[in-house]
Amino acid sequence: MQPQPAFLLHKRPYRETSALVELITLDHGRVRAVARGVQRPGSRSRGRLQPFTPLHLTWSGHAELKRLGLMESRGAAALLAGEALLCGFYANELLTRTLPVELPVAEVFAFYGALLEALPFPERRAPALRRLELALLEALDAAPVYMDEQGAELDPQGRYAYRAEARHFVRLAEGGLDGRTLRLLAQSDWSEPGLAGPAKGLARAALAPLLGSRPLRSRELMQRLAASRHAAASPGA
Amino acid sequence: MSFSPLVERLMESLRVLPGVGPKTAQRMALHLLERDREGGRRLTAVLGEALEAVGYCRRCRTLTEEEVCTLCRSTRRDERVLCVVESPADMLAIEEAGGYQGQYFVLHGHLSPLDGVGPEDIGLDRLETRLAEEPIEELILATNPTVEGEATAHYIASQLQGRPIRLSRLAYGVPMGGELEYVDGGTLSRAFLGRQPFAGD
């Protein structure tokens, strides 16, 4: 096969010197494979096969679990540290948990690549994450439909809650999201600065049924970190 | 031909060891049974004893059969410097490299959200207590230069915000005797970012 553009989402040791890897690839979506010999000390692929590094890969096999062949890097790794790294983990966990194996998701792949480029810059993080989440929801046919339960358009004056299982909105007396914001979200790509808060809430609500009852560990980690930082900033609080 | 059930079981059991496949397991089993039963008896005795007695040091969490390990008890070590490592093997590597005179803290792993490993699984609560109780002035984050090691270092650093503890992280660099041409891009770009002032005198 022709080498495929890919990113490593996760690697765990397997047997003595091999690893089980989760990849996202341009044409084949999420791929699971065995990378033989990469955990061997001094293996040249060991350093290369790292998350957040653009790769060119080949693999073989017809079963769900492939056998990784050639590995080459196709550009510099995103230099992620701190918060950006945790956001990267979040994206990786999200994709590993929600994408079915070998469903082609070229859009998601593109937005994932864009996310990695955006992550080193704090102000670009949230918009890039929202774009990836939206692309993921669209690829999985789970993006919100901006209609109420009767299939009517949303009233700009109304207040709404999102029902992710049914993919529509229900009207509320108060609270929730306002119709005007939702109509803006429907038109834009979720990344406009003023829409950050509602877009995040909506993305989380829409992703919830795909994730099931098991919480995302990377999100928990980010929240705990934010909490401990808050406690450090205001001692005695 | 196959061996008797007990010999087979011995070979199967030997394969829990890393790097031991069927062939090596057979060689080991035959060696013990045919040539060195005395050595085999010693091995079982020590193995049994070690598995029972060896636990984690109360202070640094390295492997030891004592309550507090010799390194932690030593009066010659600098109590103001603490080095955080992922495994006892990392600790040993640093000790063998020499030059470090401070104390250690062993995590036995790294943060890995995708594997479900969280802060409590690597004893970060213990580390926090230790930092609160002891007169530590500098914390060296010597977790591995992998994304997980980096995340672990970041998490520890954020936990310590606002405390008067100096934090440092092992530098990325070009291996000794190496050639730039063959160094991977990631290491090289980080080595560039972390370059040191050079005073030629």
Side-chain angles (χ1 to χ4, degrees), chain B:
Chain B
M1 188 208 112
S2 70
F3 292 100
S4 74
L6 188 56
V7 180
E8 286 286 346
R9 257 171 61 209
L10 174 60
M11 291 177 188
E12 193 53 45
S13 305
L14 284 167
R15 289 179 57 189
V16 300
L17 293 169
V20 175
K23 209 73 200 160
T24 315
Q26 182 183 322
R27 266 181 55 218
M28 287 176 164
L30 292 180
H31 175 82
L32 290 176
L33 292 172
E34 293 205 292
R35 280 189 283 280
D36 199 0
R37 288 200 180 220
E38 192 40 51
R41 279 193 199 96
R42 259 198 325 273
L43 179 64
T44 34
V46 174
L47 190 61
E49 202 183 320
L51 290 178
E52 278 308 307
V54 173
Y56 293 169
C57 165
R58 207 159 45 78
R59 278 185 83 197
C60 72
R61 304 214 322 150
T62 193
L63 293 170
T64 175
E65 65 275 27
E66 295 162 308
E67 173 95 9
V68 175
C69 71
T70 9
L71 196 148
C72 284
R73 285 201 315 262
S74 162
T75 49
R76 290 221 293 271
R77 308 290 301 204
D78 189 345
E79 291 210 315
R80 294 164 304 176
V81 194
L82 186 68
C83 176
V84 180
V85 291
E86 285 186 21
S87 74
D90 295 342
M91 173 174 164
L92 192 71
I94 297 176
E95 276 303 289
E96 279 179 352
Y100 177 64
Q101 284 304 320
Q103 308 261 350
Y104 288 95
F105 188 85
V106 184
L107 300 172
H108 295 280
H110 48 227
L111 285 181
S112 179
L114 276 76
D115 293 312
V117 180
E120 60 288 342
D121 301 309
I122 53 171
L124 291 189
D125 40 344
R126 266 298 295 136
L127 177 64
E128 187 128 17
T129 344
R130 200 169 160 191
L131 289 171
E133 285 167 358
E134 291 175 34
I136 290 157
E137 289 170 13
E138 182 178 359
L139 191 70
I140 303 171
L141 298 166
T143 50
N144 284 332
T146 58
V147 287
E148 286 90 358
E150 210 57 59
T152 311
H154 170 65
Y155 191 91
I156 297 173
S158 316
Q159 270 192 320
L160 292 182
Q161 250 177 16
R163 288 205 203 181
I165 294 175
R166 210 162 59 242
L167 276 174
S168 54
R169 174 101 176 94
L170 289 197
Y172 289 90
V174 178
M176 288 276 282
E179 285 168 55
L180 292 189
E181 189 185 345
Y182 299 108
V183 174
D184 72 281
T187 309
L188 198 54
S189 55
R190 280 176 159 88
F192 245 94
L193 287 176
R195 64 189 184 274
Q196 301 275 330
F198 184 74
D201 55 355

Side-chain angles (χ1 to χ4, degrees), chain A residues 146-149 152-162 169-184 198:
Chain A
Y146 295 87
M147 301 274 178
D148 68 11
E149 65 269 45
E153 273 196 41
L154 303 179
D155 175 6
Q157 255 72 53
R159 313 282 314 177
Y160 293 92
Y162 183 55
F169 291 83
V170 289
R171 199 148 185 159
L172 298 174
E174 54 186 343
L177 297 157
D178 74 276
R180 212 175 53 81
T181 312
L182 290 173
R183 287 170 74 124
L184 284 174

